[in-house]
Amino acid sequence: MRRIDFMTVVGILAGIGLMGGALVMGGNPKLFWNVPSLMVTVGGSFAAVLINFSFQDVKNVFGTVKQAFTTDLMEPEELIELFGELARKARREGLLALEDDAGRLDDPFFSKGIQMMVDAMEPEMIREILETDMAYMARRHEIGQSIFKTWGNLAPSFGLLGTIIGLVQMLARLDKPETLGPSMALALITTFYGAIMAYMIFIPLAGKLSLRSEQEMMLHQMMLEGIISIQSGVNPRILEERLRSFLPAKPRQQQAGAGEIAREEATDRRI
Amino acid sequence: MRRIDFMTVVGILAGIGLMGGALVMGGNPKLFWNVPSLMVTVGGSFAAVLINFSFQDVKNVFGTVKQAFTTDLMEPEELIELFGELARKARREGLLALEDDAGRLDDPFFSKGIQMMVDAMEPEMIREILETDMAYMARRHEIGQSIFKTWGNLAPSFGLLGTIIGLVQMLARLDKPETLGPSMALALITTFYGAIMAYMIFIPLAGKLSLRSEQEMMLHQMMLEGIISIQSGVNPRILEERLRSFLPAKPRQQQAGAGEIAREEATDRRI
Amino acid sequence: MRRIDFMTVVGILAGIGLMGGALVMGGNPKLFWNVPSLMVTVGGSFAAVLINFSFQDVKNVFGTVKQAFTTDLMEPEELIELFGELARKARREGLLALEDDAGRLDDPFFSKGIQMMVDAMEPEMIREILETDMAYMARRHEIGQSIFKTWGNLAPSFGLLGTIIGLVQMLARLDKPETLGPSMALALITTFYGAIMAYMIFIPLAGKLSLRSEQEMMLHQMMLEGIISIQSGVNPRILEERLRSFLPAKPRQQQAGAGEIAREEATDRRI
Amino acid sequence: MRRIDFMTVVGILAGIGLMGGALVMGGNPKLFWNVPSLMVTVGGSFAAVLINFSFQDVKNVFGTVKQAFTTDLMEPEELIELFGELARKARREGLLALEDDAGRLDDPFFSKGIQMMVDAMEPEMIREILETDMAYMARRHEIGQSIFKTWGNLAPSFGLLGTIIGLVQMLARLDKPETLGPSMALALITTFYGAIMAYMIFIPLAGKLSLRSEQEMMLHQMMLEGIISIQSGVNPRILEERLRSFLPAKPRQQQAGAGEIAREEATDRRI
Amino acid sequence: MRRIDFMTVVGILAGIGLMGGALVMGGNPKLFWNVPSLMVTVGGSFAAVLINFSFQDVKNVFGTVKQAFTTDLMEPEELIELFGELARKARREGLLALEDDAGRLDDPFFSKGIQMMVDAMEPEMIREILETDMAYMARRHEIGQSIFKTWGNLAPSFGLLGTIIGLVQMLARLDKPETLGPSMALALITTFYGAIMAYMIFIPLAGKLSLRSEQEMMLHQMMLEGIISIQSGVNPRILEERLRSFLPAKPRQQQAGAGEIAREEATDRRI
């Protein structure tokens, strides 16, 4: 269930609107369109990105961009409910009964974890496998963000590089002073392109991807704790309390109070 | 009991006064008012912030700003007294007697911890739940600070971007040299806006929120240690000594000396 | 089996093409050729690199550069298959049968690990030796990257230094205003050289080497886990599952599902 | 026994002398005195510091500054001797005999530690309390340094802000070109103020405070190890050897060689 | 056996040659000599360094500089051979026979470690003492590097400060336009001095010292592992293998293969 991330779209439209407005208000917006400047700034920084990363990484970026505009992460509250349900089912019908639930989330991490639990793999091995999975997924996410961050950091440098190229060319033929202004304006446009690329596009996109990755890591951490807890037969309400500690306090209070849960558990253990 | 944080208010008033004074003394303060410049600097950087963060995060910021101007954190000394009292009550009347004290602080972390202790949840589970709670609360606080920091870092960049836009437009019509000065002044105003936004507002606010978060984390760490200690039946004065090690030495000396406390404990154990 | 890394080559050709195009389009590309400027920027920053590093490090750099243009790292999928095979062989024929497999990869880390396993060294000692090997290999890789990073950071500084030298010399003889433009153009060329060196060459190369090092570290981590697992007699399919957690989910699903593997293991253990 | 830190004083006097000399040599030092510029740079950055920190922190800074100019830290060598003496006394007369020594250092950390040891608190609890004390003291020191660092980082920004204000005001009335030079000179003075504040005062002071804090932390770490060692009845010379490993080798060689110490201990244990 | 570090010397000579060449080629190298500029840049930044560090630290710097130009670190290969020899001697003649070997290296860390081993101090205590020694030695090295880094970071700031001072003085007397060029050239010289100090001298020297410190730490880590291993009676060839894992693979292959070593050990243990 992939949903559009309105903030990214709104932010980009607002940015285009505001920048465009400022260009139009200042007179001739055509001033800011120059192909050689685009070549130096966009092309040059992209060439540097190609040197920095591998073919596989750069190919993956296009899929990654999509993630900044849409989201298919589930709500943590739903996950807590799901795990509460699974824990109750496991208590009633045994761990093997959960085999059919492995496919309930469209997340290979979840189904792998449930399967390993159902198949009675040892908890330390499950934890180790899932933590390795998370660590290297985080690392792959970082590479994606890193492409945008690197591009965002290089873009203003290539902008300045273009401005210097323009200045050198201009200064070498100072004999026609009436061309001085427009030449220098042209030289500055590369700096403008570099700044727009960096501050309006790549750096915020890298930030968004980083937040997404963190949310996904939190969901996976919750799944990991939930799976290990179900396997060790923890009380379903303790499990919910355990998972709810990942979330802010407010939604937690709307649920049954901690006291009730713990009391039930205490009863539970005395039996 | 939300109190106003005078320093934030005083700082902002002083900043406004000093900046305003400098503008007035320099002649015409109206020079520094320009709507398109505001659009590029404030609007552009806000658009980038929207791309970077999620809708939920940006919505939460408004509540977060309030925290920079007011504070409802309790004094650590009061917390130590409270825990001393609770520890003594627990020794006299048993852990169950603390059930009514869960609501004594307006802090869900505290009441959850007390409840779990009263309900005889295992100490390792209590510690794990409370530490997860702290870790993810710290993480959510960081996102709040991060919005201000990101905004503060982007603002001067958008200020420069606006200045470059202004310069390009100015340089393209150098034929009227008498407009050169005012046009360039106008171009520089975006840099002025960006710098004020960053150095006077967003970066100091992010710093304040970060300090607040650390204070809250310290209080929660003290609560965590206090709850675990009461559950394990530590001597109340040892508990106070344990909690006082979070604070600077001076207030500690005003209390009973460490020797006395330890001696009492020693007696205690021999019994 | 050393393969050419097309991205590095494509990136560098694209960069040269774009920069060259911008210079040619702007008129006289000869403007950008100046030997004293090269001396200050390239020579000066190289002299600083010589001070910063040892003779051995600088000598190794040339071999390191080759690594940015070619790659001989194996695919992780092949490694998983190899370890699955080795684990099955070890189960059938015993650990000693793996002695001849030590040379199957052209990687001293792998052969050393297999040998130590065959020779029944204790697992903790094997882990310690291989982890020390990885830690110090990572450290040596970092020094290589660090030479490029340091050079990349120093190049723009020496570019600016050259520009200042040029400006001082130009300002001292302002009496011939017609030389002003060309002199200043010349002064700016060092900044141009410094920026090209840093943003087009050294910083992206350092980034590429860093990614290569990480990939190699991941392969070695997989070998380490694989060797320890084979020695402890883990089920071959569990081992594959364990190693597959280093990789993204997709290739994993093309293999036998996790459930199957775990079930086989469960059977296995009951026997 | 508070001693003056000559380096801080010498550094500040040298800085004042050199800067003053440069101003006087350049002609009219009065050029560099301007009240509105001071308002923007010193006042503006202080207002931002007020927003960033709490009232308590800012109040504490004045005490902290004194620490940069004087020092009351003891020499580590003296501490080693003291602990050697205490360890010998503890062996001869028992731990209780150390009660009167708690006040021998003017350091509440030391006296608290000795008292807890004398009162036979458990070593793990003593270590936990003293480590919490050290961690939060380090944290409070960091806040003090952070005020200076923040101020030092903001000062050049406010300097530039003032320069931009001045430039805008100047550019708006370009009709009187004869005022151009002095106006721009005035505008640049804020940058001068900001740079002096940052690089001559706040950043070096923050550095000094950070080194002081580290020295104090080392002394406390030595006290902690010493107290735990005395409580566990370690041989006094082993204890001295243990504490001497915090210090550089030279003073260590002036003492009895390591061999002797260890030999004595070996004898000791055989008994 | 202190050897000259040719790279540092070659780097400095090359730097002087290249910079000097650029100055001479540009005409009058005397342009770049100005005493007040030296006062502001070199003197001012040194004054700030004095404020930042303690007298002891600054005094030690002179000894530290010598280390950047010479080296007395032994080759790791020699250390491995030495430890192989010591391990064999210990097996044949017992640990006490190593007493005379404590002085074989001119390194107090080595002799202290051997002595503690000979004197049968407990391995955990030896490890703790040697690790404390390494940690605080690393810390002292860091302070030395930090003086250079701090100086290197402050130098360009003081260079800019001097340029601003010069600009203010120049702008205040714009009535003589013919002095404009030379005055501004003079103002820029401080920036030149600051950049040379930072990028040619202090930052590379700090880098060299940091690499030296790392090499020394690696040697000490190898000594620590070697001493603990000999004390626990590890097979000498296993010990060599253990120590060789600190080094790159190539020199390792020139030695007896890992297999042989491990086989010998296996034999060893079966006996």
Side-chain angles (χ1 to χ4, degrees):
Chain A
M1 199 189 59
R2 195 158 269 283
R3 298 178 305 275
I4 287 178
D5 180 325
F6 283 109
M7 294 319 273
T8 310
V9 178
V10 165
I12 283 182
L13 293 180
I16 292 173
L18 286 161
M19 290 299 137
L23 300 192
V24 169
M25 266 190 272
N28 192 357
K30 269 193 180 164
L31 273 176
F32 292 88
W33 180 252
N34 184 260
V35 173
S37 299
L38 273 176
M39 266 170 53
V40 171
T41 325
V42 182
S45 58
F46 184 61
V49 166
L50 289 183
I51 298 173
N52 201 329
F53 294 93
S54 76
F55 178 61
Q56 196 60 40
D57 299 331
V58 175
K59 220 178 62 180
N60 289 343
V61 159
F62 298 100
T64 314
V65 170
K66 212 176 58 187
Q67 278 178 32
F69 287 93
T70 60
T71 174
D72 58 355
L73 295 177
M74 71 186 309
E75 286 300 313
E77 279 296 326
E78 292 174 40
L79 194 68
I80 294 175
E81 276 175 43
L82 174 59
F83 267 98
E85 201 187 303
L86 293 179
R88 272 181 275 272
K89 191 171 169 189
R91 284 213 154 186
R92 280 195 316 268
E93 312 173 25
L95 284 173
L96 284 170
L98 298 186
E99 181 140 31
D100 301 334
D101 296 286
R104 283 184 59 174
L105 294 187
D106 184 24
D107 183 336
F109 184 89
F110 176 80
S111 44
K112 182 166 74 159
I114 295 287
Q115 264 303 351
M116 292 192 297
M117 181 183 75
V118 167
D119 293 322
M121 212 184 264
E122 287 172 46
E124 301 81 48
M125 183 54 100
I126 297 182
R127 181 177 286 276
E128 210 179 305
I129 287 181
L130 294 182
E131 282 180 348
T132 303
D133 189 300
M134 284 175 68
Y136 281 88
M137 172 174 281
R139 183 57 206 129
R140 286 189 299 274
H141 286 182
E142 266 170 42
I143 290 179
Q145 299 154 28
S146 167
I147 291 183
F148 286 119
K149 253 184 242 162
T150 303
W151 206 341
N153 288 333
L154 286 170
S157 304
F158 278 87
L160 276 169
L161 192 62
T163 300
I164 290 164
I165 294 176
L167 281 178
V168 169
Q169 292 171 339
M170 179 191 91
L171 289 165
R173 43 177 190 217
L174 274 186
D175 43 330
K176 294 178 203 150
E178 73 277 9
T179 68
L180 195 85
S183 300
M184 196 157 164
L186 213 61
L188 279 176
I189 288 173
T190 54
T191 296
F192 170 74
Y193 287 162
I196 287 278
M197 279 171 72
Y199 306 122
M200 201 74 218
I201 304 177
F202 291 125
I203 289 174
L205 279 182
K208 177 77 110 207
L209 289 175
S210 161
L211 285 172
R212 279 288 151 74
S213 174
E214 264 190 35
Q215 286 168 343
E216 192 167 352
M217 286 302 125
M218 189 184 83
L219 290 173
H220 282 185
Q221 188 70 47
M222 288 171 77
M223 289 176 192
L224 169 53
E225 300 299 341
I227 286 165
I228 300 287
S229 296
I230 291 179
Q231 203 183 21
S232 67
V234 161
N235 178 306
R237 304 194 72 177
I238 295 269
L239 169 58
E240 283 174 2
E241 177 75 2
R242 175 83 188 80
L243 294 183
R244 210 151 269 134
S245 63
F246 285 82
L247 304 182
K250 234 185 274 164
R252 206 192 294 148
Q253 292 174 325
Q254 298 163 353
Q255 311 283 333
E260 245 179 273
I261 293 168
R263 228 166 299 134
E264 177 182 314
E265 166 68 352
T267 319
D268 210 80
R269 257 196 254 137
R270 272 178 234 124
I271 299 171
Chain B
M1 198 188 59
R2 196 158 267 283
R3 297 179 305 275
I4 288 178
D5 180 325
F6 283 109
M7 294 320 272
T8 310
V9 178
V10 165
I12 284 183
L13 292 181
I16 292 174
L18 286 161
M19 291 298 137
L23 300 192
V24 170
M25 267 189 271
N28 191 357
K30 269 194 182 165
L31 274 176
F32 292 87
W33 180 253
N34 185 260
V35 173
S37 300
L38 273 177
M39 266 170 54
V40 171
T41 324
V42 182
S45 58
F46 185 61
V49 166
L50 289 183
I51 298 173
N52 201 328
F53 294 93
S54 76
F55 178 61
Q56 196 60 39
D57 299 332
V58 174
K59 220 178 61 181
N60 289 343
V61 159
F62 297 101
T64 313
V65 170
K66 211 176 57 187
Q67 278 177 32
F69 287 94
T70 59
T71 175
D72 58 355
L73 295 176
M74 73 187 307
E75 287 299 314
E77 279 295 328
E78 292 175 41
L79 194 68
I80 294 175
E81 275 174 44
L82 174 58
F83 267 99
E85 199 187 307
L86 293 179
R88 271 180 276 273
K89 190 171 170 189
R91 286 212 152 185
R92 279 195 318 268
E93 312 173 24
L95 283 172
L96 284 170
L98 298 185
E99 182 139 32
D100 300 334
D101 296 287
R104 283 184 59 174
L105 293 187
D106 184 24
D107 183 335
F109 184 88
F110 176 80
S111 44
K112 182 166 73 158
I114 295 286
Q115 264 303 351
M116 293 192 297
M117 181 184 75
V118 166
D119 294 321
M121 212 184 265
E122 287 173 45
E124 300 81 48
M125 184 55 99
I126 296 182
R127 181 178 286 276
E128 210 178 304
I129 288 181
L130 293 183
E131 283 180 348
T132 302
D133 189 300
M134 283 174 67
Y136 281 88
M137 172 176 280
R139 183 57 206 130
R140 288 189 298 274
H141 286 181
E142 267 170 41
I143 290 179
Q145 299 153 27
S146 166
I147 292 184
F148 285 119
K149 256 186 239 161
T150 303
W151 207 342
N153 288 333
L154 286 170
S157 303
F158 277 87
L160 276 169
L161 193 63
T163 299
I164 291 164
I165 294 177
L167 282 177
V168 169
Q169 291 171 341
M170 178 190 92
L171 289 165
R173 43 176 191 216
L174 274 186
D175 44 329
K176 292 178 204 151
E178 73 277 9
T179 69
L180 196 85
S183 301
M184 197 158 163
L186 213 60
L188 279 175
I189 288 173
T190 56
T191 296
F192 170 74
Y193 287 163
I196 287 278
M197 279 171 72
Y199 306 121
M200 200 75 218
I201 304 177
F202 291 125
I203 289 174
L205 278 182
K208 176 77 109 207
L209 289 175
S210 161
L211 285 172
R212 279 289 150 74
S213 174
E214 264 191 35
Q215 286 168 342
E216 192 167 353
M217 286 303 126
M218 189 183 84
L219 289 174
H220 282 186
Q221 189 69 48
M222 288 171 78
M223 288 176 192
L224 169 52
E225 298 301 340
I227 286 165
I228 300 288
S229 296
I230 290 179
Q231 203 182 20
S232 67
V234 161
N235 177 305
R237 305 193 71 175
I238 296 269
L239 169 57
E240 282 174 2
E241 178 75 3
R242 174 85 188 80
L243 294 183
R244 210 152 269 135
S245 63
F246 284 82
L247 303 183
K250 233 184 276 164
R252 207 193 292 149
Q253 291 174 323
Q254 298 163 353
Q255 310 284 334
E260 245 179 274
I261 293 167
R263 230 165 299 134
E264 176 181 318
E265 166 67 351
T267 319
D268 211 79
R269 256 194 255 137
R270 273 178 234 126
I271 299 171
Chain C
M1 199 189 59
R2 195 157 268 282
R3 297 179 305 276
I4 287 178
D5 180 324
F6 284 109
M7 294 320 272
T8 310
V9 178
V10 165
I12 283 182
L13 293 180
I16 292 173
L18 286 161
M19 290 298 137
L23 300 192
V24 169
M25 266 189 273
N28 191 356
K30 270 195 182 164
L31 272 176
F32 292 87
W33 180 252
N34 184 260
V35 172
S37 299
L38 274 176
M39 266 171 54
V40 171
T41 325
V42 182
S45 58
F46 185 61
V49 166
L50 289 184
I51 298 173
N52 201 329
F53 294 93
S54 76
F55 178 63
Q56 196 59 40
D57 300 332
V58 175
K59 218 177 63 180
N60 289 343
V61 159
F62 297 100
T64 314
V65 171
K66 211 175 60 188
Q67 278 178 32
F69 286 94
T70 60
T71 174
D72 58 354
L73 295 177
M74 71 188 308
E75 286 300 313
E77 280 294 328
E78 292 174 41
L79 194 68
I80 294 175
E81 276 175 44
L82 173 60
F83 267 98
E85 201 188 301
L86 292 180
R88 271 179 277 273
K89 191 172 168 188
R91 284 214 154 185
R92 280 194 318 268
E93 311 172 25
L95 284 173
L96 284 170
L98 298 186
E99 181 141 32
D100 301 334
D101 296 286
R104 283 183 61 174
L105 293 188
D106 185 23
D107 184 335
F109 184 88
F110 175 80
S111 44
K112 181 166 74 159
I114 295 288
Q115 264 303 351
M116 292 193 297
M117 181 183 75
V118 166
D119 293 321
M121 213 185 265
E122 286 172 46
E124 301 82 47
M125 184 54 99
I126 296 182
R127 182 177 286 277
E128 209 178 306
I129 287 181
L130 293 182
E131 283 180 348
T132 302
D133 190 301
M134 284 175 68
Y136 281 88
M137 172 176 281
R139 183 56 206 132
R140 286 189 298 274
H141 286 182
E142 266 170 43
I143 290 179
Q145 299 153 28
S146 167
I147 292 184
F148 286 119
K149 254 185 243 161
T150 303
W151 206 342
N153 288 333
L154 286 171
S157 304
F158 277 87
L160 276 170
L161 192 62
T163 300
I164 290 164
I165 294 176
L167 281 177
V168 169
Q169 292 171 339
M170 178 191 91
L171 290 165
R173 44 178 189 216
L174 275 185
D175 43 330
K176 295 178 202 150
E178 74 278 7
T179 69
L180 196 85
S183 300
M184 196 157 164
L186 212 62
L188 279 176
I189 288 173
T190 55
T191 296
F192 170 74
Y193 288 161
I196 287 278
M197 279 170 72
Y199 307 122
M200 202 74 217
I201 304 176
F202 292 124
I203 289 173
L205 279 183
K208 177 77 108 208
L209 289 175
S210 161
L211 285 172
R212 279 288 150 74
S213 174
E214 265 190 33
Q215 286 169 344
E216 192 167 351
M217 286 302 124
M218 189 183 83
L219 290 174
H220 282 186
Q221 188 70 48
M222 289 171 78
M223 288 175 192
L224 169 54
E225 300 299 341
I227 286 165
I228 300 287
S229 296
I230 290 180
Q231 201 182 23
S232 67
V234 161
N235 177 306
R237 303 194 73 178
I238 294 269
L239 169 58
E240 282 174 3
E241 178 74 3
R242 176 82 188 81
L243 294 184
R244 210 152 269 133
S245 63
F246 284 82
L247 304 183
K250 232 184 277 164
R252 208 192 293 149
Q253 292 175 325
Q254 298 165 352
Q255 310 283 334
E260 244 179 273
I261 292 167
R263 230 167 297 134
E264 176 182 316
E265 166 68 350
T267 320
D268 210 82
R269 257 197 254 136
R270 272 178 236 125
I271 300 170
Chain D
M1 198 188 59
R2 196 158 266 281
R3 297 180 303 278
I4 288 179
D5 180 326
F6 284 109
M7 294 320 273
T8 310
V9 177
V10 165
I12 283 183
L13 292 181
I16 291 173
L18 287 160
M19 290 300 136
L23 300 193
V24 169
M25 269 189 271
N28 191 356
K30 270 193 181 166
L31 274 176
F32 292 88
W33 180 253
N34 184 260
V35 173
S37 299
L38 273 176
M39 266 171 55
V40 171
T41 324
V42 183
S45 57
F46 185 61
V49 166
L50 289 183
I51 298 174
N52 200 329
F53 294 92
S54 76
F55 178 61
Q56 196 61 39
D57 300 331
V58 175
K59 220 178 59 181
N60 289 343
V61 159
F62 298 100
T64 314
V65 170
K66 210 176 59 187
Q67 278 178 32
F69 287 94
T70 59
T71 175
D72 58 355
L73 295 177
M74 72 187 309
E75 287 300 313
E77 279 295 326
E78 292 174 41
L79 195 67
I80 294 175
E81 276 174 44
L82 173 59
F83 267 99
E85 199 188 307
L86 294 179
R88 270 180 276 272
K89 189 172 170 187
R91 285 212 153 185
R92 280 196 315 269
E93 311 172 25
L95 284 172
L96 284 171
L98 298 184
E99 183 139 30
D100 301 334
D101 297 286
R104 282 184 59 173
L105 294 187
D106 184 23
D107 183 335
F109 184 88
F110 176 80
S111 44
K112 182 166 74 158
I114 295 287
Q115 264 304 348
M116 292 192 295
M117 181 184 74
V118 167
D119 294 322
M121 214 185 262
E122 287 173 45
E124 301 81 47
M125 184 54 100
I126 296 182
R127 181 177 286 277
E128 211 179 302
I129 287 181
L130 293 182
E131 283 180 348
T132 303
D133 189 300
M134 283 174 67
Y136 281 88
M137 172 176 281
R139 184 56 207 130
R140 287 188 299 273
H141 286 181
E142 267 171 41
I143 291 179
Q145 299 154 28
S146 168
I147 292 184
F148 286 118
K149 256 185 238 160
T150 303
W151 206 342
N153 288 333
L154 286 171
S157 304
F158 276 88
L160 276 170
L161 193 63
T163 300
I164 291 164
I165 294 177
L167 282 177
V168 169
Q169 292 171 340
M170 177 190 92
L171 289 164
R173 41 175 191 214
L174 274 185
D175 42 330
K176 293 176 204 152
E178 74 277 9
T179 68
L180 197 84
S183 300
M184 197 156 163
L186 213 61
L188 279 175
I189 287 173
T190 56
T191 296
F192 170 74
Y193 287 162
I196 287 278
M197 279 171 71
Y199 306 122
M200 201 75 218
I201 303 176
F202 290 125
I203 290 174
L205 279 183
K208 176 78 108 206
L209 289 175
S210 161
L211 284 172
R212 279 288 150 75
S213 174
E214 265 191 34
Q215 286 169 342
E216 191 167 353
M217 285 302 126
M218 189 184 82
L219 289 174
H220 282 186
Q221 189 70 48
M222 288 171 78
M223 288 175 193
L224 169 52
E225 300 299 341
I227 286 165
I228 300 288
S229 295
I230 291 179
Q231 202 182 21
S232 68
V234 162
N235 177 305
R237 304 194 71 176
I238 295 269
L239 169 57
E240 282 173 3
E241 178 76 2
R242 175 84 189 79
L243 294 183
R244 210 153 268 133
S245 63
F246 285 82
L247 303 184
K250 232 185 274 164
R252 207 193 292 149
Q253 292 175 323
Q254 297 164 351
Q255 310 285 332
E260 243 179 276
I261 292 167
R263 229 167 300 134
E264 176 182 318
E265 166 67 351
T267 319
D268 210 80
R269 258 195 254 136
R270 272 179 235 125
I271 299 171
Chain E
M1 198 189 60
R2 194 158 269 282
R3 297 180 304 277
I4 287 178
D5 180 325
F6 284 109
M7 294 319 273
T8 310
V9 177
V10 165
I12 282 183
L13 292 181
I16 291 174
L18 286 161
M19 289 301 136
L23 300 193
V24 169
M25 268 190 272
N28 191 356
K30 269 195 182 165
L31 273 175
F32 292 88
W33 180 253
N34 185 260
V35 172
S37 299
L38 274 177
M39 265 171 54
V40 171
T41 325
V42 182
S45 58
F46 184 61
V49 166
L50 288 184
I51 298 174
N52 201 329
F53 294 93
S54 75
F55 178 62
Q56 196 60 39
D57 300 331
V58 174
K59 219 177 61 180
N60 289 343
V61 159
F62 298 99
T64 314
V65 171
K66 210 175 60 186
Q67 278 179 31
F69 287 93
T70 59
T71 175
D72 58 354
L73 296 177
M74 72 188 308
E75 287 300 313
E77 279 295 327
E78 291 174 42
L79 194 68
I80 295 175
E81 275 174 45
L82 173 59
F83 267 100
E85 200 188 304
L86 293 179
R88 270 180 277 274
K89 190 171 169 188
R91 285 213 155 186
R92 281 196 315 269
E93 311 172 24
L95 283 173
L96 283 170
L98 298 184
E99 182 140 30
D100 301 335
D101 296 287
R104 282 183 61 173
L105 294 187
D106 184 23
D107 184 336
F109 184 87
F110 176 80
S111 44
K112 182 166 75 159
I114 295 288
Q115 264 302 351
M116 293 192 296
M117 181 184 74
V118 167
D119 293 322
M121 213 184 264
E122 287 173 45
E124 301 82 48
M125 183 54 99
I126 296 182
R127 182 178 285 278
E128 210 179 305
I129 286 181
L130 293 182
E131 283 180 348
T132 303
D133 189 301
M134 283 175 67
Y136 282 88
M137 172 176 282
R139 183 56 206 131
R140 285 188 299 273
H141 287 182
E142 266 171 41
I143 290 179
Q145 299 154 29
S146 167
I147 291 184
F148 286 119
K149 256 185 239 161
T150 303
W151 205 342
N153 288 333
L154 286 171
S157 305
F158 277 88
L160 276 169
L161 192 62
T163 299
I164 291 164
I165 294 177
L167 282 177
V168 169
Q169 292 170 339
M170 178 191 92
L171 289 164
R173 42 177 190 215
L174 274 185
D175 42 330
K176 295 177 202 150
E178 74 278 8
T179 68
L180 197 84
S183 301
M184 196 157 164
L186 213 62
L188 280 175
I189 288 172
T190 55
T191 296
F192 170 74
Y193 287 162
I196 287 277
M197 278 172 71
Y199 306 122
M200 202 73 218
I201 304 176
F202 291 125
I203 290 173
L205 279 183
K208 176 77 109 208
L209 290 175
S210 161
L211 285 172
R212 279 289 150 74
S213 173
E214 266 191 32
Q215 286 168 343
E216 191 167 351
M217 287 301 125
M218 190 184 83
L219 289 174
H220 282 185
Q221 188 70 49
M222 289 171 77
M223 287 175 194
L224 169 54
E225 300 299 341
I227 286 165
I228 301 287
S229 296
I230 290 179
Q231 202 182 22
S232 68
V234 162
N235 177 306
R237 302 194 73 176
I238 294 270
L239 168 58
E240 282 173 3
E241 178 75 4
R242 176 82 188 82
L243 294 183
R244 209 154 268 133
S245 62
F246 284 82
L247 303 183
K250 234 185 274 165
R252 207 191 294 148
Q253 292 174 327
Q254 297 165 352
Q255 310 284 334
E260 242 179 274
I261 292 167
R263 229 168 298 133
E264 175 183 317
E265 166 68 350
T267 320
D268 210 80
R269 258 196 253 135
R270 273 179 234 124
I271 299 171

